[in-house]
Amino acid sequence: MERYYQPEIECASRETILAWQNERLCKQVKNVWDNVPYYRRKMEEKGLTPDDIRGVEDLHKLPFVTKDDLREAYPYGLVARPLRDCVRIQSTSGTTGKRVVAFYTQHDLDLWEDCCARAIVAAGGTHEDVCQVSYGYGLFTGGPGLNGGSHKVGCLTIPTSSGNTERQIMFIRDLNATILCCTPSYAAYLGETMKEMGLSPDEIPLKAGIFGAEAWSEEMRRSIQETLGIKAYDIYGLTELSGPGVAFECSEQSGMHINEDHFIAEIIDPQTGEVLPEGSQGELVFTSITKEAFPLLRYRTRDICVLSRKSCSCGRTHVKMSKPRGRSDDMLIIKGVNVFPSQIETVLLAQGYQANYQMIVDRVNNTDTLEVQVEMTPENFSDNLAQITQMEKSLVAALKAMLGIYAKVRLVAPKSIARSEGKAVRVIDKRKI
Ligand code: DLL
């Protein structure tokens, strides 16, 4: 039987959700107009005052906010509450330029943790469960967010953070962890290590996993579910909006319910900024309507996905987003063709490999080149040259069918590509250097 953390919210009627959104949006617009000079200036530039926004149907009039705007406003430019009312910061994992710093009041933390609690309950979590949180703790939102959600549900929480794989496995087994929270690439690595230790899925007490923070394919889901003997749920979020728990999967495992009582979602054409009708693929844009310290209006996530309002067998009524196909800024253009790392992953897993690969993009004599280095698995490992060449050829053909371009494939020995404890690094683009 499906269980909910906040049934009256998660299963509210569409009319009720819209009424909440209308009221909260107007309040939020007034709030940023009064308290954030940056927003007032941007609205004035468009000739808008808060009176022009009477509800969700007027949302499209507001200007977008981009990551560049956040960098420009660093550190305090978009904070809507006095710092004495703020109790926490978190920050993005970006490695280039200034990081984005997000601020939270106690109220913001409380609502964020509720969102994570909804995700844990949707994955079958109750106060009887032992929840191991192996996302990084610190500035990254993964650890703190799911830790808070796990407490709210009343799970016994193991805050292992990421890394120290042997100890992770020891705790899972000794403390009977039933729910695992980490990135999908780390879940795959934990699974791989347990397999090497000779552990079969029924010797692992886990029953569910809550995996997100990076794109992962359905093939990867199947592989993780098999190795760990669990049901694997997707969870989505970003620091700018709070962290994990902006959207989460239910038992249907076919897209993530967006917490629409806190976030209004739109899909736009990334080139023109035009709002697209439901069912179109485009860039996800969010407006946070309940945040106090760091509210964002029409924030462009760069994540490419599709929204669906089809009714869901779980009983939740909030709109669902598809798995993000990738980020518009992760999308590579190779020989003029759009390539997402997730497409490579789909091909590899379908051919019996694991998602241990790296894409190396370069430009030789003014022509783009793509090399995909793929680890052989212990099962298909070979040191026979003819056999390796045959395996490489077969991958080249499958990649050509998926991407439409030639990619050189180089098979490498098992375990030779560095494992990641957080978000995996899949692409080395030498063209930018
Ligand atoms: O990754 C928050 C998070 C932590 C989400 C733990 C889920 C679990 P950032 O570091 O700010 O925050 O990165 C946000 O990561 O815009 C997406 O591109 C990507 N992302 C997050 N979740 C997913 C997912 C956290 N489930 C950026 N699928 C987002 C695909 C995801 N991409």
Side-chain angles (χ1 to χ4, degrees):
M1 200 192 59
E2 191 79 29
R3 293 181 59 263
Y4 314 99
Y5 179 66
Q6 293 168 311
E8 67 297 346
I9 299 174
E10 294 174 63
C11 305
S13 71
R14 290 297 322 159
E15 296 71 42
T16 306
I17 296 173
L18 187 61
W20 286 334
Q21 290 188 333
N22 285 334
E23 187 207 321
R24 292 172 188 180
L25 174 64
C26 295
K27 222 169 117 194
Q28 189 68 289
V29 170
K30 177 112 189 19
N31 173 34
V32 299
W33 174 270
D34 289 340
N35 295 307
V36 188
Y38 189 88
Y39 273 116
R40 184 187 284 236
R41 197 175 66 242
K42 278 196 106 177
M43 284 177 67
E44 280 172 346
E45 275 166 20
K46 285 208 142 198
L48 294 170
T49 69
D51 288 341
D52 293 306
I53 311 299
R54 281 149 309 169
V56 177
E57 80 278 6
D58 293 324
L59 187 59
H60 67 98
K61 296 179 185 168
L62 289 166
F64 292 118
V65 175
T66 64
K67 200 157 200 147
D68 284 342
D69 292 319
L70 300 192
R71 290 206 177 105
E72 207 180 295
Y74 173 91
Y76 302 124
L78 286 169
V79 182
R81 282 286 183 282
L83 289 183
R84 64 172 174 277
D85 293 347
C86 299
V87 297
R88 171 93 66 83
I89 69 148
Q90 302 284 162
S91 176
T92 53
S93 44
T95 46
T96 51
K98 285 256 193 264
R99 281 168 163 244
V100 170
V101 178
F103 295 77
Y104 304 71
T105 61
Q106 186 54 51
H107 165 90
D108 294 334
L109 288 181
D110 202 35
L111 298 187
W112 173 29
E113 291 174 357
D114 280 343
C115 288
C116 290
R118 288 180 197 174
I120 293 171
V121 173
T126 72
H127 63 278
E128 305 283 350
D129 280 293
V130 178
C131 181
Q132 182 151 322
V133 182
S134 310
Y135 286 109
Y137 281 63
L139 288 170
F140 179 56
T141 53
L146 281 139
N147 192 87
S150 175
H151 279 209
K152 287 225 170 192
V153 176
C155 302
L156 174 60
T157 310
I158 316 181
T160 46
S161 192
S162 56
N164 203 336
T165 304
E166 305 283 306
R167 191 180 61 195
Q168 300 274 357
I169 296 172
M170 182 188 85
F171 277 153
I172 290 174
R173 299 185 69 209
D174 293 353
L175 301 174
N176 265 314
T178 47
I179 299 177
L180 172 68
C181 306
C182 62
T183 58
S185 47
Y186 195 48
Y189 180 46
L190 281 171
E192 185 185 352
T193 311
M194 291 193 212
K195 207 166 165 185
E196 277 168 16
M197 291 166 69
L199 292 172
S200 67
D202 47 317
E203 290 171 290
I204 302 167
L206 294 172
K207 64 174 188 190
I210 304 179
F211 306 135
E214 61 185 2
W216 53 308
S217 60
E218 285 302 326
E219 289 76 10
M220 186 145 168
R221 187 207 301 267
R222 271 196 289 280
S223 157
I224 294 174
Q225 293 193 145
E226 255 174 49
T227 335
L228 292 176
I230 60 171
K231 198 159 169 175
Y233 296 83
D234 203 350
I235 182 166
Y236 170 88
L238 52 161
T239 315
E240 295 88 325
L241 294 175
S242 58
V246 171
F248 61 92
E249 247 177 9
C250 60
S251 54
E252 224 186 65
Q253 291 180 308
S254 64
M256 295 174 269
H257 291 283
I258 294 173
N259 285 312
E260 286 188 283
D261 50 328
H262 301 304
F263 308 103
I264 303 177
E266 299 170 275
I267 290 285
I268 62 160
D269 178 324
Q271 257 76 48
T272 64
E274 182 202 348
V275 178
L276 299 176
E278 192 196 315
S280 316
Q281 175 168 292
E283 180 180 337
L284 192 52
V285 172
F286 279 114
T287 298
S288 49
I289 47 179
T290 50
K291 288 281 290 284
E292 290 182 343
F294 199 68
L296 291 182
L297 302 184
R298 303 197 85 201
Y299 181 64
R300 292 186 61 161
T301 63
R302 300 279 162 201
D303 293 319
I304 304 292
C305 73
V306 179
L307 295 183
S308 162
R309 291 194 188 281
K310 281 203 203 91
S311 78
C312 184
S313 62
C314 79
R316 289 181 184 77
T317 45
H318 294 224
V319 70
K320 288 206 283 198
M321 60 180 274
S322 65
K323 268 181 176 302
R325 183 151 182 229
R327 292 174 60 84
S328 59
D329 47 5
D330 266 1
M331 185 185 79
L332 293 155
I333 302 183
I334 304 174
K335 294 183 189 161
V337 175
N338 298 348
V339 176
F340 286 99
S342 58
Q343 292 174 296
I344 312 263
E345 187 181 298
T346 298
V347 169
L348 296 185
L349 282 123
Q351 300 263 325
Y353 295 84
Q354 292 296 320
N356 296 318
Y357 67 96
Q358 216 152 33
M359 301 163 63
I360 296 136
V361 190
D362 207 347
R363 184 162 288 156
V364 181
N365 299 330
N366 292 321
T367 306
D368 292 338
T369 58
L370 168 62
E371 175 176 307
V372 187
Q373 294 187 357
V374 183
E375 258 186 26
M376 288 178 272
T377 63
E379 290 77 27
N380 68 18
F381 175 74
S382 164
D383 50 10
N384 174 322
L385 216 56
Q387 204 175 346
I388 292 181
T389 309
Q390 197 45 48
M391 287 159 71
E392 287 176 342
K393 266 192 181 159
S394 141
L395 275 179
V396 168
L399 286 170
K400 177 99 201 281
M402 169 65 91
L403 309 173
I405 55 168
Y406 168 75
K408 182 176 173 196
V409 171
R410 197 152 72 81
L411 287 177
V412 296
K415 294 249 155 178
S416 55
I417 294 177
R419 298 291 185 272
S420 134
E421 292 162 357
K423 303 191 191 216
V425 180
R426 305 287 194 204
V427 182
I428 300 172
D429 194 341
K430 298 185 173 165
R431 295 175 303 181
K432 287 182 198 142
I433 299 165

